[in-house]
């Protein structure tokens, strides 16, 4: 059982007998007032979004799901095709079910696919993925410690802010939970 | 590595924050306020329904310096201020940290209206010191700080912005939800707003209005929808204060929380508390505004998650 203070982005809970994922989460507390947890939730079966505000005393059941390790094969139109690494069975997820994960998916990557009563409904990426920088503005020498950053484009088309010394063709590690740059990967 | 890089990127914000705190001190010292320090570890916090303290040994970390500062006020320190760390359990979000920095000040001889004016003057002093003119830009919105700021009562704000009147929202237990959803986002737009005269049940340490005992002389300041301060005319009646604390404890127990022991010495000292007003202002929140930061994470060196 979860309580409202467990709510965070990415948590999967049961509401009105359907599985939901928290896609946006805001803790609010008017001065002297009670803690409120404002959530934007996505229904994992039908993809619809809803807003709900919970109170400290609210509790939730975790969504009754199973997870399987699968390999990302390829994208075809808005279908993302995966293969179960044990049974070799193939499944697909739709683009809206993939969500932000599309920014970090590359072919052959192993991911966790979430199933609700045998239906694929969601994807969990490894926390860290290494991706190649495809486009980067040049490094202005001397700009190493100032805390400045520059935007680059990765092999998946994802744009991310990195320190100025990162150059085109280099591999960098991304934290898929925050979508932020973590470190340069030396091969 | 990522954390250290984030820390490096916050340098400008941390410099602005330091300059702000410096300017805050200058403002109060120039007005003959005494800077004080009161213990952060106290035997018991003031009983409040929705504020939870962290235990520290047999004692607690304070959730605000209010109780100790008001004892000083009662003992003959008529103008005092403090910038200190405060601690509140379970509070973490874009605008909340479980450990945060509070500015509190107390002044004898004024009520909440006098205090509102002092808030206007404080901000005008701060923008002057920070050399940003008399307006600020926060998240793409220009906020003019010239006096007088907007003033709207809680009753009027419910009438204007919410679907139900204030009294009905209280009776149905929807006051906080309505405030957060329908009202707060409309406040402090283009100019800061004082939201004032709260229901008496929502101002445990505030004096009620002489002509309407159902309302407390309490106000909050909003800038661009962001709540930054809570001030009020101080309640000086020990018996009334004790009843309010008992009521707060009753609400704590009914929410399954532990009651707090009554702060006896504080209650005793209220006999000597002069007519006065006091306010708590979130330093991290004003740093957010001066740094144009969307989240409190951007104006502190370390968030709890980065430790």
């Amino acid at each position: 059982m979860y309580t409202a203070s467990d709510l965070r982005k990415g948590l999967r809970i049961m509401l009105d007998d359907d599985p939901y994922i928290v896609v946006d989460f805001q803790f609010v507390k008017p001065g002297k007032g009670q803690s409120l947890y404002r959530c934007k939730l996505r229904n994992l079966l039908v993809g619809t979004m809803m807003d709900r505000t919970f109170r400290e005393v609210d509790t939730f059941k975790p969504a009754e799901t199973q997870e399987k390790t699968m390999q990302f094969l390829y994208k075809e139109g808005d279908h993302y095709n995966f293969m179960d690494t044990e049974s070799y069975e193939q499944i697909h997820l739709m683009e809206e079910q993939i969500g932000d994960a599309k920014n970090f998916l590359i072919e052959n990557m192993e991911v966790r696919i979430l199933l609700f009563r045998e239906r694929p409904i969601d994807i969990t990426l490894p926390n860290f993925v290494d991706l190649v920088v495809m486009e980067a503005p040049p490094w202005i020498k001397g700009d190493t410690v100032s805390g400045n950053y520059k935007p680059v484009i990765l092999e998946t088309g994802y744009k991310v802010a990195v320190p100025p010394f990162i150059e085109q063709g280099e591999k960098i590690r991304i934290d898929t939970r925050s979508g932020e740059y973590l470190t340069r990967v030396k091969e | 590595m990522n954390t250290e890089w984030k820390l490096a990127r916050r340098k400008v914000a941390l410099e602005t924050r330091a300059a702000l705190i410096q300017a805050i001190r200058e403002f109060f010292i120039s007005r003959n306020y005494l800077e004080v320090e009161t213990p952060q570890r106290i035997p018991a916090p003031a009983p409040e329904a929705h504020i939870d303290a962290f235990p520290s040994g047999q004692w607690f970390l304070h959730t605000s310096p209010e109780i100790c500062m008001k004892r000083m006020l009662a003992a003959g320190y008529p103008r005092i201020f403090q910038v200190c760390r405060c601690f509140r359990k379970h509070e973490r979000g874009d605008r909340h940290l479980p450990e945060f920095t509070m500015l509190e000040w107390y002044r004898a001889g004024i009520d909440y209206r006098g205090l509102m004016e002092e808030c206007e003057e404080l901000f005008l002093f701060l923008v002057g010191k920070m050399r940003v003119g008399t307006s600020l830009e926060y998240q793409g919105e220009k906020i003019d700080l010239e006096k007088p700021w907007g003033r709207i009562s809680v009753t009027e704000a419910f009438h204007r912005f919410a679907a139900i009147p204030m009294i009905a929202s209280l009776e149905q237990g929807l006051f906080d939800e309505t405030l957060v959803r329908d009202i707060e986002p409309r406040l402090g737009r283009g100019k800061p707003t004082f939201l004032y005269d709260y229901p008496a049940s929502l101002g445990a340490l505030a004096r009620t209005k002489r002509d309407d005992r159902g309302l407390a002389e309490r106000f909050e300041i909003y800038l661009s929808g962001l709540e930054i301060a809570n001030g009020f005319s101080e309640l000086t009646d020990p018996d009334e204060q004790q009843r309010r604390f008992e009521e707060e404890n009753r609400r704590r127990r009914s929410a399954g929380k532990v009651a707090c022991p009554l702060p006896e010495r504080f209650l005793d000292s209220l006999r000597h508390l002069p007519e006065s007003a006091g306010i708590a202002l979130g330093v991290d929140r004003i740093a957010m505004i001066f740094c144009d930061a969307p989240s409190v994470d951007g104006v502190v060196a370390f968030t709890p998650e980065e430790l």
Side-chain angles (χ1 to χ4, degrees), chain B residues 105 111-124 144-157 160-161 179 183 186-189 191-198 218-232 279-281:
Chain B
W105 77 94
D111 69 358
Y112 73 142
R113 291 186 184 277
L115 193 54
M116 288 184 207
E117 283 168 32
E118 196 157 49
C119 291
E120 293 170 330
E121 284 152 19
L122 168 66
F123 270 80
L124 285 168
D144 172 21
L145 293 168
E146 285 292 358
K147 304 191 274 190
W149 294 355
R151 283 162 170 77
I152 183 169
S153 73
V154 180
T155 309
E156 170 69 14
R160 241 164 68 194
F161 303 125
L179 184 70
I183 299 172
R186 317 293 246 296
L187 302 177
R189 294 294 170 194
K191 220 172 191 356
T193 306
F194 293 107
L195 182 66
Y196 68 93
D197 285 356
Y198 278 69
R218 172 188 157 202
F219 68 87
E220 300 251 354
I221 302 174
Y222 286 88
L223 262 90
S224 204
L226 181 64
E227 176 210 331
I228 55 165
N230 172 47
F232 42 84
I279 180 165
L281 189 150

Side-chain angles (χ1 to χ4, degrees), chain A residues 19-166:
Chain A
Y20 282 85
I21 183 166
V22 178
V23 290
D24 207 2
F25 165 78
Q26 210 189 1
F27 170 84
V28 289
K29 192 174 198 288
K32 307 269 177 193
Q34 59 189 314
S35 298
L36 298 172
Y37 302 82
R38 299 175 82 181
C39 294
K40 198 180 274 295
L41 301 132
R42 190 176 79 230
N43 183 311
L44 286 168
L45 290 181
V46 293
T48 49
M49 302 285 257
M50 76 171 178
D51 292 313
R52 276 258 193 119
T53 299
F54 299 105
R55 295 181 178 195
E56 231 174 331
V57 292
D58 291 326
T59 56
F60 318 92
K61 274 199 217 135
E64 311 140 1
T65 51
Q66 315 121 281
E67 262 192 326
K68 282 188 176 171
T69 302
M70 299 202 189
Q71 193 175 37
F72 175 55
L73 297 177
Y74 57 91
K75 181 187 172 206
E76 193 176 29
D78 54 4
H79 283 44
Y80 286 73
N81 296 287
F82 298 86
M83 182 179 68
D84 187 325
T85 51
E86 275 175 27
S87 68
Y88 303 108
E89 187 194 339
Q90 288 192 23
I91 59 111
H92 72 264
L93 282 170
M94 305 298 286
E95 181 143 6
E96 57 272 20
Q97 291 176 299
I98 294 279
D100 289 343
K102 68 168 182 276
N103 295 326
F104 314 109
L105 259 185
I106 48 172
E107 282 175 17
N108 300 326
M109 183 183 278
E110 283 204 346
V111 299
R112 304 281 292 168
I113 296 291
L114 193 75
L115 302 136
F116 180 75
R117 295 171 190 155
E118 308 296 314
R119 270 173 67 182
I121 55 170
D122 200 13
I123 177 172
T124 310
L125 295 179
N127 289 344
F128 309 111
V129 299
D130 296 344
L131 297 168
V132 177
V133 176
M134 298 302 278
E135 280 176 48
W139 175 23
I140 298 137
K141 290 272 183 216
D143 195 4
T144 48
V145 289
S146 64
N148 280 348
Y149 60 98
K150 63 179 186 185
V152 298
I153 301 175
L154 305 181
E155 57 183 307
T156 56
Y158 181 62
K159 265 194 201 162
V160 64
V162 301
F165 54 79
I166 297 290

Side-chain angles (χ1 to χ4, degrees), chain B residues 245-261:
Chain B
F245 280 157
E246 282 163 355
E247 171 60 17
E248 292 292 315
N249 268 334
R250 197 193 56 71
R251 288 162 68 190
R252 289 184 65 83
R253 277 189 296 263
S254 69
K257 296 178 177 187
V258 289
C260 305

Side-chain angles (χ1 to χ4, degrees), chain A residues 5 25-38 53-57 145-150 161-165 175 178 180-184, chain B residues 1-2 5-6 8-9 48 50-52 66 90-96 172-174 176-177 179-181 184 202 205 218 220 222 227 230 232 255 257 285:
Chain A
S5 60
F25 165 78
Q26 210 189 1
F27 170 84
V28 289
K29 192 174 198 288
K32 307 269 177 193
Q34 59 189 314
S35 298
L36 298 172
Y37 302 82
R38 299 175 82 181
T53 299
F54 299 105
R55 295 181 178 195
E56 231 174 331
V57 292
V145 289
S146 64
N148 280 348
Y149 60 98
K150 63 179 186 185
V162 301
F165 54 79
D175 185 328
S178 62
E180 287 176 359
Y181 163 87
L182 217 55
T183 183
R184 173 156 61 177
Chain B
M1 164 103 188
N2 188 44
W5 179 53
K6 267 193 195 164
R9 281 177 63 179
E48 292 200 57
H50 302 300
I51 298 179
D52 296 315
E66 180 163 5
H90 308 308
E91 301 196 3
R92 180 68 178 112
D94 286 346
R95 300 169 175 192
H96 292 83
Q172 295 169 34
L174 294 172
D176 291 332
E177 274 97 338
L179 184 70
V180 163
R181 189 189 59 228
E184 286 192 339
L202 302 179
L205 293 123
R218 172 188 157 202
E220 300 251 354
Y222 286 88
E227 176 210 331
N230 172 47
F232 42 84
K257 296 178 177 187
R285 302 260 179 101

Side-chain angles (χ1 to χ4, degrees), chain B residues 58-263:
Chain B
Q58 296 296 304
W59 285 15
F60 293 89
L61 297 178
H62 71 175
T63 59
S64 113
E66 180 163 5
I67 294 233
C68 288
M69 288 183 79
K70 272 156 67 169
R71 280 177 65 183
M72 293 188 75
L73 193 60
Y77 296 82
R79 288 179 178 220
I80 48 177
F81 80 99
Q82 175 162 211
V83 178
C84 64
R85 304 296 267 177
C86 295
F87 306 84
R88 294 181 182 184
K89 226 173 169 173
H90 308 308
E91 301 196 3
R92 180 68 178 112
D94 286 346
R95 300 169 175 192
H96 292 83
L97 289 166
E99 175 180 350
F100 61 101
T101 303
M102 191 94 103
L103 160 67
E104 287 210 12
W105 77 94
Y106 292 85
R107 181 167 162 188
I110 60 170
D111 69 358
Y112 73 142
R113 291 186 184 277
L115 193 54
M116 288 184 207
E117 283 168 32
E118 196 157 49
C119 291
E120 293 170 330
E121 284 152 19
L122 168 66
F123 270 80
L124 285 168
F125 182 87
L126 293 181
V127 287
K129 280 283 160 188
M130 306 297 286
R131 296 179 217 286
V132 290
T134 56
S135 68
L136 281 165
E137 196 169 310
Y138 184 62
Q139 301 296 294
E141 182 182 4
K142 191 168 170 261
I143 303 166
D144 172 21
L145 293 168
E146 285 292 358
K147 304 191 274 190
W149 294 355
R151 283 162 170 77
I152 183 169
S153 73
V154 180
T155 309
E156 170 69 14
F158 269 79
H159 182 68
R160 241 164 68 194
F161 303 125
I164 49 171
M166 181 185 84
I167 300 290
S169 82
L170 275 175
E171 285 165 357
Q172 295 169 34
L174 294 172
F175 183 90
D176 291 332
E177 274 97 338
T178 311
L179 184 70
V180 163
R181 189 189 59 228
D182 302 334
I183 299 172
E184 286 192 339
R186 317 293 246 296
L187 302 177
R189 294 294 170 194
K191 220 172 191 356
T193 306
F194 293 107
L195 182 66
Y196 68 93
D197 285 356
Y198 278 69
S201 60
L202 302 179
L205 293 123
R207 182 174 84 188
T208 50
K209 287 175 79 74
R210 287 200 173 88
D211 55 357
D212 187 347
R213 294 292 176 201
L215 294 175
E217 291 186 352
R218 172 188 157 202
F219 68 87
E220 300 251 354
I221 302 174
Y222 286 88
L223 262 90
S224 204
L226 181 64
E227 176 210 331
I228 55 165
N230 172 47
F232 42 84
S233 308
E234 301 300 342
L235 177 60
T236 55
D237 175 347
D239 301 325
E240 172 68 14
Q241 184 65 74
Q242 181 163 341
R243 276 194 293 278
R244 303 263 196 102
F245 280 157
E246 282 163 355
E247 171 60 17
E248 292 292 315
N249 268 334
R250 197 193 56 71
R251 288 162 68 190
R252 289 184 65 83
R253 277 189 296 263
S254 69
K257 296 178 177 187
V258 289
C260 305
L262 293 185

